[in-house]
Amino acid sequence: MASARVSTLLVFFFVIVSSIASFSSATEKEHVLTLDHSNFTEVVSKHKFIVVEFYAPWCGHCKNLAPEYEKAASVLSSHDPPVALAKVDANAEENKPLAEQFEIQGFPTIKILKNGGELVQDYKGPREADGIVEYLKKQVGPASFEIKTAEDAGSLIDEKKVFVVGIFPTLSGEEFENFTTLADKLRSDYDFGHTTKAELLPRGESSVTTPTVRLLKPFDELVVDFQKFDVDALEKFIVDSSIPLVTLFDQSPANQPFLVKYFESPNAKVYIMFTYFDVGL
Ligand SMILES: *[C@@H]1O[C@H](CO)[C@@H](O)[C@H](O)[C@H]1NC(C)=O
Ligand SMILES: *[C@@H]1O[C@H](CO)[C@@H](O)[C@H](O)[C@H]1NC(C)=O
């Protein structure tokens, strides 16, 4: 009787101790990887998809981001495919060459590194946990979605944004591969889709027989087709064709991506800007 009670107590005690242990290890385990000059390349090279925050210890925005970033890392640690979140103290003297390599201008700067660091992209998503998770799930998923039905076309194509769609007789071959590669590279700037049925698209010629990239724009001539599949030529086509000839220079968020392209574009020929000052007279 007495020994049964002792062993029950022991079991009870053990359960409490082990749950405290697992609780404290859960709170102590950081999901965000800390990287520095000594292991950055090695760790990055092992990841198909890793997000790196370059921060400075004194930066207020970085401090605000830290708990959100950690929460996102914890949610994403069980995501399939894996999404790793890391940070580098870019202010530390020994890490400055890294900050230079990635052209870090301000803090925090977040980069997405793919294929072991071969492809580097800017993180352009939100700064709170749920938003970070949603944005990164989208980034790690397919860059281009197949349009199989009119409903797919309706839900994927946002009439207010540039949409790039590859039209292919079959969804394979070098043209399709090149299109997919580029979609992955430019995915944070444009929305991509692909289809074997041009007739499902809202605009443009519907009898397409050779691989074609069609850019649907919310401005100017609204639709442009392109049939070269060299990756660089295709990228140039997409970037050049998506610059509007005239952009309203205002605070409208819908115009911001076009304005950015404008200022970045080395060959934008026409700059027309209107600025309204509300002087409150
Ligand atoms: C990288 O090295 C630093 C300093 O030696 C260490 O604190 C950190 O935990 C290492 N990170 C990883 C992911 O191994
Ligand atoms: C695919 O892209 C590569 C690299 O830009 C290029 O050499 C190749 O010719 C392209 N393929 C086609 C079918 O255009």
Side-chain angles (χ1 to χ4, degrees), residues 33-36 38-40 43:
L33 303 170
T34 304
L35 303 182
D36 70 2
S38 71
N39 51 21
F40 184 90
V43 174

Side-chain angles (χ1 to χ4, degrees), residues 71-73 75-76 128-138:
K71 214 187 286 174
V75 174
L76 289 167
E128 39 67 45
D130 292 346
I132 297 172
V133 169
E134 281 320 301
Y135 181 88
L136 291 177
K137 277 186 181 170
K138 238 179 120 184

Side-chain angles (χ1 to χ4, degrees), residues 14-121:
F14 189 72
V15 167
I16 289 178
V17 168
S18 59
S19 63
I20 288 174
S22 69
F23 176 73
S24 65
S25 77
T27 50
E28 274 164 23
K29 183 177 186 318
E30 275 211 351
H31 291 91
V32 174
L33 303 170
T34 304
L35 303 182
D36 70 2
H37 70 109
S38 71
N39 51 21
F40 184 90
T41 311
E42 187 202 335
V43 174
V44 165
S45 71
K46 288 188 191 136
H47 286 84
K48 270 193 84 73
F49 190 102
I50 185 166
V51 184
V52 181
E53 181 211 355
F54 293 87
Y55 73 98
W58 43 259
C59 140
H61 288 301
C62 306
K63 286 180 195 152
N64 295 338
L65 175 64
E68 301 293 323
Y69 196 64
E70 173 58 28
K71 214 187 286 174
S74 144
V75 174
L76 289 167
S77 64
S78 52
H79 188 264
D80 181 31
V83 174
L85 272 65
K87 61 179 178 182
V88 172
D89 177 355
N91 195 56
E93 204 50 46
E94 66 273 20
N95 296 333
K96 292 218 163 128
L98 266 181
E100 266 164 40
Q101 182 190 334
F102 287 90
E103 296 172 4
I104 306 305
Q105 309 276 341
F107 303 114
T109 296
I110 307 173
K111 301 271 183 188
I112 297 174
L113 279 60
K114 292 184 186 166
N115 300 338
E118 273 174 38
L119 188 60
V120 180
Q121 292 168 332

